[in-house]
Amino acid sequence: MEADPPRTGVLKLFAGGEGAITGTVVCAAVIAYGAGHAGSTAQLSGAIVVTVGVYWLAHLHAVTIGNSLTHGHHPLIAARHALRETAPVAAASILPLAVLLITRLLGAGLSASAWIALLATIALLAIYSYVAGARGGLDILGRLTSAAAGAGIGVIVALLKVALH
């Protein structure tokens, strides 16, 4: 059996990149829903941080327990491993949150900033999927198809935003 590639690179996308995808989609969903219900940037930002944090804790717990059950690791050793494994779930919200805050500081309204941040999440999903296709050996058409599939998940979230507001 072949070993996993090393966990290095931007958001550990050589291996374990599923956390970055999960965190990005969760962040996008909070932006999509929360933008129409939050009364301020602080409320929307808080909703993003708390929701992504809860998903990260759930993922952290699942990986910790899974490693303890599957590999017989002591829970503290499993937790230490899980912290490294799950960091991309939380880290994935940094860029969309930064986009939201920077566009607000530049004078955009909350709704416009939320749309820009949501578009940033769609771009991230497309980039992650393109990179995955490239690392998987796909030709340019395959990479673009992979990117379109990733962006499609973000578009579904954007449609959710439109349907909810």
Side-chain angles (χ1 to χ4, degrees):
M1 186 163 137
E2 206 171 295
D4 284 341
R7 295 183 183 278
T8 58
V10 177
L11 291 177
K12 300 185 180 185
L13 289 178
F14 289 121
E18 65 277 356
I21 304 299
T22 300
T24 302
V25 172
V26 168
C27 188
V30 175
I31 293 168
Y33 180 78
H37 297 87
S40 68
T41 304
Q43 286 178 340
L44 181 55
S45 298
I48 292 167
V49 169
V50 169
T51 304
V52 171
V54 168
Y55 273 82
W56 171 71
L57 284 172
H59 198 63
L60 175 70
H61 180 69
V63 171
T64 299
I65 298 304
N67 283 332
S68 290
L69 290 171
T70 304
H71 304 292
H73 292 160
H74 184 279
L76 290 177
I77 293 170
R80 190 172 44 226
H81 168 76
L83 280 169
R84 285 190 312 271
E85 179 83 15
T86 63
V89 174
S93 66
I94 294 170
L95 183 62
L97 186 56
V99 168
L100 176 76
L101 296 174
I102 290 168
T103 55
R104 287 292 285 148
L105 287 172
L106 293 175
L110 181 57
S111 179
S113 291
W115 271 110
I116 294 167
L118 186 57
L119 291 173
T121 65
I122 294 169
L124 282 173
L125 292 168
I127 291 166
Y128 297 154
S129 298
Y130 181 91
V131 170
R135 290 188 181 155
L138 297 179
D139 62 11
I140 190 67
L141 181 59
R143 294 174 190 187
L144 292 174
T145 302
S146 182
I153 294 168
V155 169
I156 290 169
V157 173
L159 292 173
L160 173 70
K161 178 174 175 31
V162 171
L164 292 173
H165 305 291

